[in-house]
Amino acid sequence: MRRIAPVVLVTITTVIAFLIGPNGLSIAAAAAASCPDATVVAVPGTTETNPAANPRVPAGLLKKVVEPVKKATRPVRVTGMYVPYPADIIGSTANALGYSFSRRQGVDNATKMIEEQSAKCPDTRYLLTGYSQGAHVAGDLAARIGAQQSPISADKILGVALLADPAQAPQGVPTLGVTGPVVGFAGARQGGFGALTDRVISICAPGDFYCNAPASPTIRLIGLLGSQIDSADPTNSARQVLAIAGGTFLAPVTAAIAGVTTLLTQPNFGANLISGGQRFVAALVQQAGVAGPILQGVGTVINAVQGIITAVTSGAFGQIPGLVATAVKTCADMTARITATTPAIADHASGRNWAAVGNAIGSLQQAGVEHPNAIADRTKNVFDVVSVGLNALMAAVPVQQFPALGPFYAQFTPQQVINELMAFARFLQGGAHTSYDSAPLDEAGHTGVQLMSRWMMNQIGQLSKR
């Protein structure tokens, strides 16, 4: 038998001693013993952090939520990590790539942080939270996790608390602070939160346009442009965003026409019309009131439907096939005209003009955060670039050729645009978005920060019951 050299034995002994440690614990066991029970992954808002920030250093408004929670939940061990990411809203400077890029980078960075800690601390659970743009980030990550589209499993997540979420959806999660369904400035997040739905809460002040955007065409449009334009391809992405806005406006009309067509092509449509004819015609007339200036055939469809009802009740059954054929063909023609509208916007709109609108909106929002004295001048600049974009769009995609765009254009008269931009400027000056640590949001006088803290402590409390 070959003898093992003494130096080898010494080396092996040293390695084993290092791995086991002085108290007989392995390094892995020692690391696990130092792991927290829960970690709050907080995504700060716009300008509150940067890619080089130390994730262990409390940052922004959320430190008023996370740090008290860490102390109040003892003996449960809770730590906090603040996600470093660009936190930009303007994409026109050399070092800033804009809101859309910043948001995506935030999702990626938060994912990596959780993955890295989970590798070291497999039993640690996580609370996701974010404020403003950070809420958009945290909400998008939660949506991915809930839909099993993330490397992070849903069972790792104790809860998700979103403060002033720009992607607020009108349904799907409890929302404190407002009394009805609301939509965020960046448009509603689609798809919900999947497996995490019952672990998500949202907080929004009634006067905060970022999470409770008013039903204003101008504000909804600038919200989409300011948040969705891709800095890697601003021209084409601006066209696509504008096309989405037009398609969203026309969607209720398209749905109404599809409903009419479905009803008229069912075998028992006559009985359905008799049983609910008055309600049906009233709904159709209401829809025609919204879409009448666009769709030349709405009146034809209404007349045909009323004629069918009369024919059925009077027994003039021979008239029915012709009336049905007229209504169905008219619906098909209207659908074809609407269907051609959205691609026309995407193909012919001046992407450069609308990318400029996105940058101007970002600059105005930046003024609301850092340069309040510049809000008035930057509001005027937004009006100027929106006017240029609209005039160019109307010339490139004229209403004479695309009549479905008539009411869409009619929402953006110069006076309407300036009135709605002034309302947005007053919002930026009013502080509704920045007072979640001082303004009461419920009858008991709790602020948004306090409501978040209380909810997080309740979620963390579930760990001690296991």
Side-chain angles (χ1 to χ4, degrees), residues 46-136:
T46 299
T47 75
E48 289 187 336
T49 188
N50 61 77
N54 185 338
R56 297 294 179 183
V57 175
L61 180 66
L62 291 178
K63 66 186 177 185
K64 298 183 179 181
V65 177
V66 178
E67 300 310 305
V69 166
K70 288 163 56 179
K71 297 177 182 177
T73 51
R74 294 170 182 163
V76 177
R77 292 168 297 171
V78 178
T79 60
M81 296 193 299
Y82 296 80
V83 179
Y85 75 113
D88 288 330
I89 49 179
I90 306 175
S92 59
T93 62
N95 296 320
L97 293 173
Y99 186 96
S100 182
F101 174 85
S102 173
R103 172 178 53 82
R104 295 195 305 270
Q105 193 66 53
V107 172
D108 291 345
N109 291 357
T111 301
K112 290 175 184 176
M113 288 176 69
I114 295 174
E115 283 188 291
E116 289 173 1
Q117 176 153 313
S118 293
K120 302 173 185 175
C121 301
D123 295 328
T124 297
R125 304 284 297 281
Y126 298 88
L127 277 161
L128 299 179
T129 188
Y131 163 60
S132 192
Q133 182 180 164
H136 200 161

Side-chain angles (χ1 to χ4, degrees), residues 217-273:
T218 301
I219 291 177
R220 293 284 173 88
L221 179 60
I222 65 175
L224 285 173
L225 289 164
S227 60
Q228 303 296 334
I229 290 179
D230 186 348
S231 56
D233 189 5
T235 298
N236 287 326
S237 65
R239 287 196 185 105
Q240 295 301 322
V241 170
L242 195 63
I244 290 170
T248 301
F249 173 78
L250 295 172
V253 185
T254 306
I257 295 171
V260 173
T261 303
T262 299
L263 184 62
L264 291 174
T265 53
Q266 289 177 346
N268 60 340
F269 76 92
N272 290 338
L273 285 176

